[in-house]
Structures are given as C-alpha cells and as structure tokens.
Amino acid sequence: MEQEKMNTTDKISMDDLVALCKRRGFIFPASEIYGGINGFWDFGPLGILLKNNLRDRWWNDMVITPPIGPNGEPLKIVGLDSSIIQNPKVWEASGHVGGFSDPMVDCRETKKRYRADHLIVYLPNELEQENQDQSILVFVEGTPKQEIEKKIKKLKLSLSLSQCECIPLTDLDKYGYTEDYGLWLLRPNGTKKVDRSRLVAPDVKKPDTLTEARQFNLMFESSAGAVKDAASKVYLRPETAQGCFTNYKNIVDNMRVRVPFGIAQIGKAFRNEVTPRNFIYRSREFEQMEMEWFCHPDEARLWFDFWKDERKKWWEAVGVSTENLQLRQHDQDELSHYAKAGVGTVDIEYRFPFTWPGFGELEGVAHRCDFDLIQHEKHSGKKMEYFDDSVQPPRRFLPHVIEPAAGLTRGVLALLAEAYTADPSRPSKMYLKFNPSIAPVKAAVLPLVNKNGLPEIAQKLYYSMRTKFMTEYDAKSNIGKRYARHDEIGTPFCITVDNDTPKDQAVTIRFRDTMAQERVALDKVEGFVQKALKE
RNA sequence: GCGGGUGUAGCUCAAUGGUAGAGCGCUAGCCUUCCAAGCUAGUUAUGCGGGUUCGAUUCCCGUCACCCGCUCCA
C-alpha cells in the first residue's frame, strides 16, 4: 500500500511515545529507581497537567454543565467522591468477591491457559468396564462436532457423542460413577469422583496434562485497623461505580433529584490484572470517570442510545479523530453479569498503536439494568425503590442504570497517541498536536534574546497570562530550541517578544501545527489565545 | 502464568575478563533580532542479587523491569 502523506491514522511507534513521555515528563515507570513495579506508572509534571485537563473537562461536561437531554432541557447529574475502601459487603453484593476470580487451568503440554468454565468435558454415560484407563476428552466451548469426532477416531476411542454428558470442567466434581461404571449426574455421597488424570486436553493426545484450577484474585486486599486478621480484611475498589449505588438512597432522599438523573464520580480503581500490558493501557492502578444514569426501565433503551452517541461526540470534542474511534456492540457471550438482561453494552474504542489496525476499549456504555440496586437491597436490607408521583397514577419502581464508564488513564494514552505527529522537517522531528483546550501548557512567552529590555516586556505579559491559563516563561538558550521543546510538549502558542516589540508594542504568535507566525498587538495577545482555546 | 527478545549517562549508540567513550540533551556563563547555530566550563551510566575469577559491565545462574506472541481483561 502506498502512503502519500502522514495523517492522523498513521500508526505511531509505542517505543517512541513511551520514550517521549519519559523524556518530557509525562509518564514515568513507578518507583523506577528500585527497578520499577509491574503494572504501575507515575504521572510526571506534564502528564498530570494533561490528565487533570481531561478529568476537569469530563467533570465540567457531566456535572457542571450536563448535556441537553432529548426533551431540550439540561440533564441533572450530581457529583460524588466515595471512599476507595468500603465495607467488604459492598463487594459481596456487587459480585466482585467470588464471582469474578475466574478459575484458570493450564495445559502442561501445550502451555495454553484456559478458563475452567470454558472447557467442556465429554463424560461418557458409561465407562468401558474392561478399560479403566479410558481417556475422557475435553474441548474448548464451541468446538465443532466434526473436529471432536475426528479426534475420537484418531485416538481410536469407542465413544459416541450422543452418549456423552457435556459439562463444564468447573462442574466435574458434581458428577460420579458407580461401581458398575454408570454415570451419576449429581454425585451422591460414596460414589467415585471422575478421575482428573483421565482428562485429555484440547490439542493434546495423551491424558493428564491439565493443571488444577487456580483462582485468580483480581481485587487487591488490605487490612483496616492495626491488627491484621480475617475480620479486618478490606478491598481496594475495582470500580468507582459501586459508590454511586451505595449512595443512591442518600442522594435520592436528600438532594431533591428526580429520576432520571445521574451520579458522577472520578477516581482511582485497582485491579490485580493477570498481565498488565501496553504502557498505561492496562495497569493495576488506574483512574475511571463513571456516571450512573438512573432511569425508568421503559426508558433504558432511549437513554442507552443517547449516552452512547453523546459520549462518542465528547471524545471527538477533546481532540480524538473520528476515524480512530468506533462503537462496538458487545456480543451476548461477552456481556458482563449485570448487563445480560439489558439492552446491551457498547464500547467506545480507540485505535491504539498496539491494537492497530484494530481498536481497544476507551469507554464502555452499559445497561446495568437494576442488577446493582437489587443486589444492594438484598445484601443491605434497605429498600431502594423510587416513588414517582409526577405521573398519574403514581408508581413505584427500581430504576435501571445506564453507565458510561470511561477510562481516564486510557483517555490520556489515547490523547497522547492521537497527538503524536511525526514531522521530519522540524528540528524536533515530531510534535504533539493536542487540542489546545487540553494541552498541558497553553502558551509560552519567549523573549527572543535575553537582553535589550525584552525580558522585562515578556515577563509583564507572562505575569498577566499565567493568571488566566497555564503559561510558561522561558528565556534560556536560542529561540529554535525553545520552539522545538514546546513542539514536543504540545504547546499550541509560542509568543515571542522581539526587538521590534519596544517600538511597535506587538509580538509574534507562533502556531505549533503550522509553524506560521502572526504579529499581534501586545494588549490583544491574551484575548487572542483565550479565544483560540475556546474553539 | 508460558515462550521469545531487550537491559551501558536523560536520549541515541560505542567499547572491554584489567581506568567505561562519543554525539545530543541538561546546568552555568559568553554570544545571538525567529526555528535544536557558535564558544567555555560543568553534569550523569553498565537494572538488581549471587557465582566463577587475582579481577566481571563482559562468562554462568537467579531475579526485576520493558517489548512481542499466547493467555487473561468483571
């Protein structure tokens, strides 16, 4: 394929991006002087400016000035900052304790790893009496019938698929054989368990290559209080959403909100990922921007469609190009436990360099139904029903929840990847093409030379501008190096005070993307930049 | 967790079983009217831990981190 010119859809090198992030103070490996720690990253001086800009923009667009709804009126969304550590019962109710540490098994032969509930054991209704070593085949869920029969033939087993019980590996111990080798569906006390060493893994000819199922605990644990025992065990939250549900009743009772309304929260969440990968994309400590939208069950579809469109538009508004974004509907089998019964889940995906030419999740918009409120009703014993007397006749119901849940950390990565623009023609060979509104540094004030009264004029301008937006003053080294540095950190406007300035009271504004310069009166500069930031 | 790769200064790269070099950057100063110019001085490194050896950055073992593939991702 011929590539005529660089454009926003060109793949960039992750190595280059990671190197730039370190060199220019965006993102560092956590505790690097001690050799780092897998899955954790620190935001440097410029990284935190960028992250805060994205975070504040979300907060502003959700909580301060929420979107206009389908009926033409502004939506109501209130903010929240719940504790990272909650009563552990919260996570029992949410299903995070227990349900989500999927048991995994490894195959010693092929080195493959499987989710135990995705492996299907083909248990013969009767084992061959004369052959107590008979193998029992195991296949990945969804393996075509022909393939299974092929393997039976190959291994010369006298086995008929129609006389097999297909059960997930996780349920194996519920089954057993009697002395005459008839299969019991549910194993009564005293019968023999199925011998695991007879299992033949997928892609393997001999039995007994699968390891015992291992639990992966995806929640971080800690202890509250000085004494560490079972009763003091607490968890670091794996999502911010639950705080919105546990405070739902407080907010409905006290904040004069009426369904539909939203509760928004930004904060750290922690997941003990099996394999942290791809820079800050999958890290064990990360930041979420989640909004739980409570609505009548009949309106769930409407709000789901509203939020998925609204959220995609938002990413475009902060500078992510349309061609690098896509909406992807989840298949039925990848839906989360809470979304199974709902209208579905849509991911807003970004074309990250490491998913290229594919896409990776940036935000998920999910219909969580009333799963969470039901769970918290059950576990806490507190009523969560909403009483709506704005309609005739008045009605009681448990609201359904539409949840746009965005990754702030992933958002920062997407903005960096999106902004990274190669340009061999400039000294820096690249620049960060941030949308000016989220650029870490909005403007740099630069005296062309550090004498002739230019620093005095430049400083006066700087002192004024710094009160309005993030501005840097830099008088060191020659002007070309300063332009190059600001290209690398994505400063959209460089304002240079030159030797004509004392005479004409004007400066040049140098535009990052075009390197073009425009002469602007000193007293118009601030307004000029401010106007550009709003566009 | 498995397999493969990588690890020397902030960055890019060199070298060696015996004092670890360069360019760029960075800091200070000089000079300079617009895109990493020039001059002077300074700054910084063998991921970590063992072993072999008189001596290890180099050879061996382990470990950690990062990258690629598999696996996983509520």
Side-chain angles (χ1 to χ4, degrees):
Chain A
M1 250 197 278
E2 295 260 276
Q3 288 204 325
E4 297 272 312
K5 63 181 173 67
M6 305 292 281
N7 58 53
T8 50
T9 59
D10 280 322
K11 183 185 175 180
I12 63 161
S13 144
M14 261 328 263
D15 286 347
D16 291 347
L17 181 62
V18 172
L20 176 81
C21 281
K22 184 176 175 190
R23 188 156 48 88
R24 286 307 183 190
F26 284 94
I27 296 158
F28 306 123
S31 41
E32 191 186 15
I33 59 171
Y34 292 103
I37 178 167
N38 188 234
F40 299 89
W41 299 86
D42 291 344
F43 280 82
L46 267 73
I48 187 58
L49 285 171
L50 176 63
K51 177 156 78 84
N52 285 353
N53 286 345
L54 188 61
R55 180 198 67 184
D56 294 346
R57 176 68 174 266
W58 188 91
W59 192 258
N60 187 67
D61 294 345
M62 280 294 187
V63 180
I64 311 297
T65 51
I68 305 296
N71 68 355
E73 285 177 27
L75 305 179
K76 178 74 176 175
I77 300 177
V78 296
L80 178 72
D81 185 19
S82 69
S83 185
I84 285 174
I85 291 175
Q86 302 278 344
N87 187 311
K89 286 177 184 162
V90 169
W91 309 113
E92 286 166 24
S94 71
H96 288 87
V97 176
F100 301 107
S101 44
D102 297 318
M104 310 290 300
V105 292
D106 290 323
C107 176
R108 280 183 286 259
E109 186 75 12
T110 62
K111 307 295 183 197
K112 283 186 181 167
R113 167 174 292 175
Y114 306 94
R115 268 175 65 166
D117 58 331
H118 284 180
L119 283 180
I120 304 299
V121 181
Y122 285 72
L123 273 186
N125 288 333
E126 288 185 13
L127 280 190
E128 295 169 27
Q129 296 244 30
E130 66 279 13
N131 180 7
Q132 297 189 15
D133 295 328
Q134 183 194 19
S135 299
I136 300 173
L137 298 185
V138 177
F139 292 93
V140 178
E141 197 172 14
T143 304
K145 209 172 164 188
Q146 305 94 290
E147 222 170 281
I148 295 171
E149 277 165 349
K150 219 163 124 189
K151 184 160 179 179
I152 291 174
K153 232 174 173 178
K154 215 173 188 174
L155 296 181
K156 299 190 170 75
L157 299 177
S158 56
L159 184 66
S160 160
L161 276 189
S162 58
Q163 287 173 354
C164 278
E165 214 54 57
C166 298
I167 58 153
L169 182 57
T170 35
D171 289 346
L172 189 62
D173 288 346
K174 295 179 187 163
Y175 292 73
Y177 288 92
T178 52
E179 280 307 309
D180 58 354
Y181 292 98
L183 177 65
W184 289 87
L185 290 188
L186 289 174
R187 192 171 67 86
N189 288 340
T191 54
K192 290 172 73 178
K193 277 191 193 178
V194 178
D195 188 357
R196 279 175 182 269
S197 65
R198 290 183 170 209
L199 301 181
V200 179
D203 310 319
V204 175
K205 287 176 192 155
K206 60 182 191 188
D208 199 21
T209 63
L210 289 175
T211 63
E212 282 292 308
R214 263 178 309 189
Q215 293 287 116
F216 280 74
N217 190 355
L218 292 179
M219 272 198 294
F220 280 97
E221 293 175 6
S222 187
S223 336
V227 181
K228 188 178 172 183
D229 57 28
S232 69
K233 182 153 103 178
V234 292
Y235 301 99
L236 307 192
R237 69 179 173 203
E239 62 174 19
T240 54
Q242 291 306 321
C244 300
F245 299 125
T246 54
N247 284 292
Y248 159 79
K249 212 175 140 42
N250 280 336
I251 285 169
V252 167
D253 290 349
N254 300 308
M255 294 310 298
R256 308 199 305 168
V257 289
R258 303 204 55 80
V259 171
F261 74 98
I263 304 177
Q265 173 159 225
I266 299 175
K268 288 276 176 91
F270 304 83
R271 292 179 193 176
N272 209 351
E273 296 288 356
V274 179
T275 316
R277 274 289 166 89
N278 295 323
F279 200 27
I280 56 171
Y281 180 77
R282 177 172 301 131
S283 47
R284 290 180 166 145
E285 174 176 341
F286 57 99
E287 207 155 352
Q288 294 183 304
M289 308 185 288
E290 295 195 297
M291 197 275 290
E292 309 302 320
W293 181 254
F294 297 86
C295 63
H296 189 273
D298 294 346
E299 294 181 343
R301 161 71 64 186
L302 172 112
W303 288 112
F304 179 78
D305 289 337
F306 174 83
W307 280 114
K308 100 182 167 211
D309 293 340
E310 193 67 27
R311 294 304 307 153
K312 180 159 182 273
K313 275 190 273 176
W314 187 83
W315 284 108
E316 288 163 2
V318 297
V320 182
S321 63
T322 310
E323 66 260 38
N324 284 336
L325 279 176
Q326 74 170 17
L327 290 174
R328 191 182 64 83
Q329 187 87 33
H330 278 211
D331 295 334
Q332 192 61 33
D333 61 358
E334 63 176 314
L335 286 176
S336 327
H337 60 290
Y338 52 71
K340 287 232 158 57
V343 301
T345 296
V346 148
D347 279 348
I348 300 171
E349 297 188 323
Y350 179 70
R351 179 146 52 188
F352 289 100
F354 45 81
T355 57
W356 187 279
F359 292 74
E361 182 186 357
L362 187 57
E363 170 160 356
V365 181
H367 179 201
R368 291 184 80 125
C369 309
D370 48 8
F371 177 87
D372 302 276
L373 291 183
I374 286 180
Q375 287 299 105
H376 287 302
E377 266 196 353
K378 269 191 216 157
H379 285 76
S380 70
K382 304 284 191 299
K383 276 266 177 251
M384 301 282 173
E385 267 186 344
Y386 179 76
F387 180 67
D388 186 0
D389 57 1
S390 71
V391 291
Q392 279 304 322
R395 57 188 180 180
R396 262 177 218 286
F397 61 91
L398 212 50
H400 274 210
V401 171
I402 305 299
E403 174 199 71
L408 174 53
T409 320
R410 285 181 179 183
V412 168
L413 182 55
L415 290 182
L416 281 165
E418 182 74 23
Y420 195 103
T421 310
D423 183 354
S425 73
R426 29 180 111 194
S428 55
K429 308 294 180 210
M430 57 75 60
Y431 61 105
L432 288 179
K433 197 176 183 173
F434 290 126
N435 182 304
S437 66
I438 56 107
V441 179
K442 312 295 187 201
V445 180
L446 316 170
L448 183 59
V449 292
N450 205 10
K451 60 176 188 181
N452 302 346
L454 305 191
E456 290 77 4
I457 300 174
Q459 272 179 21
K460 196 176 161 207
L461 178 61
Y462 164 66
Y463 284 137
S464 171
M465 285 175 68
R466 72 198 280 267
T467 63
K468 309 293 194 314
F469 37 78
M470 184 67 198
T471 308
E472 276 195 2
Y473 175 80
D474 191 357
K476 288 171 189 164
S477 76
N478 71 61
I479 192 70
K481 290 186 185 181
R482 284 177 277 167
Y483 285 155
R485 172 170 175 270
H486 283 286
D487 275 350
E488 282 196 324
I489 68 172
T491 307
F493 308 108
C494 285
I495 293 139
T496 304
V497 175
D498 61 27
N499 285 317
D500 291 335
T501 306
K503 288 169 253 167
D504 66 1
Q505 295 296 305
V507 295
T508 58
I509 296 184
R510 183 254 193 195
F511 298 91
R512 175 196 63 199
D513 300 350
T514 58
M515 295 194 286
Q517 293 183 355
E518 186 175 333
R519 200 152 188 93
V520 174
L522 251 182
D523 57 1
K524 296 277 194 299
V525 172
E526 205 171 287
F528 184 97
V529 175
Q530 215 140 30
K531 184 162 169 280
L533 290 176
K534 286 199 182 107
E535 278 167 3

